[in-house]
């Protein structure tokens, strides 16, 4: 079984910075994609950033130039460095991975964390 735990969320002033972390535990043989999603009240969950095992990244237009995603496969960690935060960045942020957990199972599966609250307010 695989478990993802997010941390680093909290209250920050507009223009401030925050770093989110996601730790994956359990048997993980290979990770193809690591992502961060977020969901604000009354809105659909949206993709914020993603990174492949090869280091290729992608970002939502709303966070380009402000957020940076990074991962450490050896430590089973994924991070989201957020800067120049705005009130509209307020949301619950979720960690996501697509991983293979056993050699006898060729297919990859998806796993989600419980989420961490980020509130941007003065």
């Amino acid at each position: 079984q695989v478990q993802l735990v997010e941390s680093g969320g909290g209250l920050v002033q507009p223009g401030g910075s925050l770093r989110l972390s996601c730790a994956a535990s359990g048997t993980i043989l290979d990770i193809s994609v690591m992502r961060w999603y977020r969901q604000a009240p009354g809105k659909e969950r949206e993709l914020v950033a993603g990174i492949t095992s090869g280091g290729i990244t992608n970002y939502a237009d709303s966070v380009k130039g402000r957020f940076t995603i990074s991962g450490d496969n050896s430590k089973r960690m994924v991070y989201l460095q957020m800067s120049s935060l705005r009130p509209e960045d307020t949301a619950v942020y979720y960690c996501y991975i697509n991983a293979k957990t056993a050699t006898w199972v060729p297919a990859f599966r998806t796993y989600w964390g419980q989420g961490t609250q980020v509130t941007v307010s003065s």
Side-chain angles (χ1 to χ4, degrees), residues 34-107:
M34 296 182 286
R35 293 170 177 161
W36 284 98
Y37 288 80
R38 69 184 180 187
Q39 186 168 22
K43 295 186 177 181
E44 297 287 329
R45 183 173 298 186
E46 64 174 344
L47 174 64
V48 176
I51 183 170
T52 69
S53 60
I56 300 174
T57 60
N58 67 282
Y59 300 90
D61 289 339
S62 61
V63 307
K64 286 182 178 178
R66 300 188 299 118
F67 291 11
T68 301
I69 187 172
S70 62
D72 187 335
N73 189 59
S74 64
K75 296 182 179 180
R76 302 287 194 265
M77 299 287 291
V78 59
Y79 308 94
L80 184 67
Q81 179 65 51
M82 305 181 292
S83 62
S84 301
L85 285 164
R86 307 165 181 170
E88 52 264 41
D89 292 319
T90 296
V92 175
Y93 285 70
Y94 298 91
C95 179
Y96 162 105
I97 66 168
N98 185 250
K100 182 179 180 181
T101 60
T103 58
W104 56 89
V105 180

